[in-house]
Amino acid sequence: MRQHHRSTRLFGSLLLVAAAGLSSVAAAPGGGAEETATAAAPTPLGQIVPAPASAAPGGSPYEISAKTRIRVGESREARAIGGQLADVLRPSTGYPLKVTDDEGRDGIRLRLSTKDTSLGNEGYRLESGRGSLTITARKPAGLFYGVQTLRQQLPAAAEKKTGQKGPWKVAGGTIKDTPRYAHRGAMLDVSRHFFSVDKVKRYIDQMSLYKVNKLHLHLSDDQGWRIAIDSWPRLATYGGSTQVGGGQGGYYTKAQYKDIVKYAASRQLEVIPEIDMPGHTNAALASYAELNCDGVAPPLYTGTEVGFSSLCVKKDVTYDFVDDVIREIAALTPGKYIHIGGDEAHSTSHEDYVAFMNKVQPVVAKYGKTAIGWHQLTGATPAKGAIAQYWGYDATGAAEREQVVNAAKKGTKLVLSPADRAYLDMKYDKDTPLGLAWAGYVSTQRSYDWDPGTYLKGAPAESIQGVEAPLWSETLSTSAHIEYMAFPRLPGIAELGWSPASTHDWDAYKVRLAQQGPRWDALGIGYYKAPDVPWPGK
């Protein structure tokens, strides 16, 4: 996950502001004849991110007008999704866009139907023509993803919060779309630096536009404990009181955590909470002396080294602690998974590590959840149904890769987060003012140009559950920092998780990605203007 030979220097937001200044600025609509003509031409059907499974252009475009209704039928879920779409489009178009359950053949129609089983739980069909635009799905998730496709088919100015000049056209034709993988995740480290509820929600909005469906929250580490636990209150009040560099930390109350979970669910994201153990536990060890083998609490830690902390594996109180923490978090988390970390436990002997994981995994199952761990879990005995999250990289030794592949052959499922491909906190190049480089530099092309299906040679295809893009926060402390490192790379990882392998082509992708630049400008996302992408006006 993170190696100890990293730079500890932090970069301030002033440096980011300077770097973010490289980001393109969208021209105001109606700026000239050429621009108006461009705006009038709808985005070619399917020229979006992630690439759809199939797109058949044809016929007249659909145009949103002052008379447009969003027709949702009697479904409560469809009404909520239709309301979200209306909230996006009303400010920019100036149209009322009434959300109604009245049936009709015109307008934007959001339909839930169980008839087309080929759409699965997350697929959708979008049909655009002269009089109507219809999105059909079997489940609300598919309907939501169809709406995200609709947003990208509209001009970027549709995302703005002020009135803009149309027209608001969607190219004619049919898109039928289903995801390649069930797990399409993004991880946010709120332990090294604490991010408020509003900042987490902002990132949720951004990732959901690209059909990401898992939000992995790294809630505990050496530098901070970020979730209230009633049975061990000092974890949050003391262990969460600081962060990297010594600044004021913070933690989520149970009500705040539930608010994040609910908000994520409204964007079709499942929250996966992580409590890292037995290593990466200094915040817990500092909070409760009895968790230490010598009974002495260490001081709080605000640096960035790793591998020095460990829960006391042989103490019974350790497992009381684990049971309490997992029980309380499981009660707050409706999703299927709890992540138990397990990486860089350098201060835990192999024997103790195996013993610890053998005791902790059944606790996760006891409270109705499935365990996920970093891929070091495969060095122990993964429980039935457990998922190992692989964070090695191209240079990772053959023995370590073989250990993971052998576990997969025995039934352990895998989520792929190779550090030199998917880690969003790696620098783009030597001049990147934020991030780290222990896994090398990760350009936008490098982050996209790999295939999850073939990355771990020998791993059964059915073992690969999907991909996840972690964002570690040693050098990141603001939403602007998050956005600069996540964009433009996060959409590429999202495409690897969603789109068919047959669509994977850097030269085609970079053109579609470049078209997202004006959309990010409209949304106020300060992205890195990667030199390997042909941004508009470049």
Side-chain angles (χ1 to χ4, degrees), residues 27-42 155 165-169:
E34 181 179 348
E35 184 180 328
T36 302
T38 301
K165 184 177 180 180
W168 309 107
K169 294 181 179 179

Side-chain angles (χ1 to χ4, degrees), residues 328-342:
E328 292 195 33
I329 291 178
L332 297 171
T333 306
K336 182 179 180 180
Y337 302 103
I338 288 182
H339 203 302
I340 56 175

Side-chain angles (χ1 to χ4, degrees), residues 71-73 75-82 84-85 109-113 119-126 134-150 177 211 268 498:
R71 303 186 182 278
V72 297
S75 165
R76 179 175 54 84
E77 295 92 343
R79 173 168 285 276
I81 293 166
Q84 292 170 357
L85 176 61
R109 304 190 300 168
L110 306 183
R111 301 173 60 242
L112 284 172
S113 171
L119 294 177
N121 292 331
E122 296 186 292
Y124 65 92
R125 185 173 60 253
L126 183 151
T134 303
I135 300 173
T136 306
R138 294 183 70 245
K139 297 290 180 71
L143 212 55
F144 178 85
Y145 298 138
V147 165
Q148 306 321 301
T149 290
L150 167 58
D177 204 6
K211 304 183 176 72
Q268 302 301 321
W498 180 278

Side-chain angles (χ1 to χ4, degrees), residues 514-525:
Q515 294 167 357
Q516 298 297 307
R519 189 167 306 277
W520 298 337
D521 289 321
L523 288 165
I525 296 174

Side-chain angles (χ1 to χ4, degrees), residues 127-303:
E127 299 164 286
S128 174
R130 182 180 299 280
S132 66
L133 186 147
T134 303
I135 300 173
T136 306
R138 294 183 70 245
K139 297 290 180 71
L143 212 55
F144 178 85
Y145 298 138
V147 165
Q148 306 321 301
T149 290
L150 167 58
R151 287 173 63 182
Q152 288 195 39
Q153 290 288 168
L154 286 166
E159 305 288 350
K160 292 193 174 185
K161 298 298 185 185
T162 57
Q164 305 294 311
K165 184 177 180 180
W168 309 107
K169 294 181 179 179
V170 177
T174 300
I175 290 174
K176 186 174 180 181
D177 204 6
T178 53
R180 181 182 184 187
Y181 292 114
H183 188 117
R184 307 177 304 280
M187 189 219 78
L188 182 61
D189 171 17
V190 297
S191 294
R192 272 44 177 279
H193 281 97
F194 180 67
F195 293 93
S196 69
V197 172
D198 285 344
K199 290 175 182 176
V200 175
K201 287 181 176 180
R202 179 175 173 85
Y203 196 36
I204 287 171
D205 284 340
Q206 293 163 356
M207 64 179 74
S208 67
L209 181 58
Y210 297 97
K211 304 183 176 72
V212 172
N213 69 348
K214 310 290 182 188
L215 170 61
H216 171 181
L217 284 177
H218 185 76
L219 291 168
S220 71
D221 213 297
D222 292 317
Q223 299 87 350
W225 185 285
R226 306 303 183 198
I227 180 72
I229 302 295
D230 293 340
S231 50
W232 298 75
R234 274 175 58 84
L235 291 172
T237 59
Y238 184 69
S241 64
T242 190
Q243 58 187 5
V244 165
Q248 182 179 357
Y251 65 91
Y252 306 118
T253 65
K254 287 190 170 183
Q256 288 173 325
Y257 176 78
K258 289 169 72 174
D259 183 32
I260 291 172
V261 168
K262 182 179 179 181
Y263 191 84
S266 74
R267 271 71 178 161
Q268 302 301 321
L269 280 115
E270 176 184 359
V271 171
I272 300 174
E274 180 188 355
I275 302 298
D276 207 346
M277 49 190 168
H280 289 280
T281 46
N282 192 81
L285 298 173
S287 301
Y288 287 96
E290 59 265 41
L291 297 177
N292 297 270
C293 288
D294 61 3
V296 178
L300 293 170
Y301 182 68
T302 61

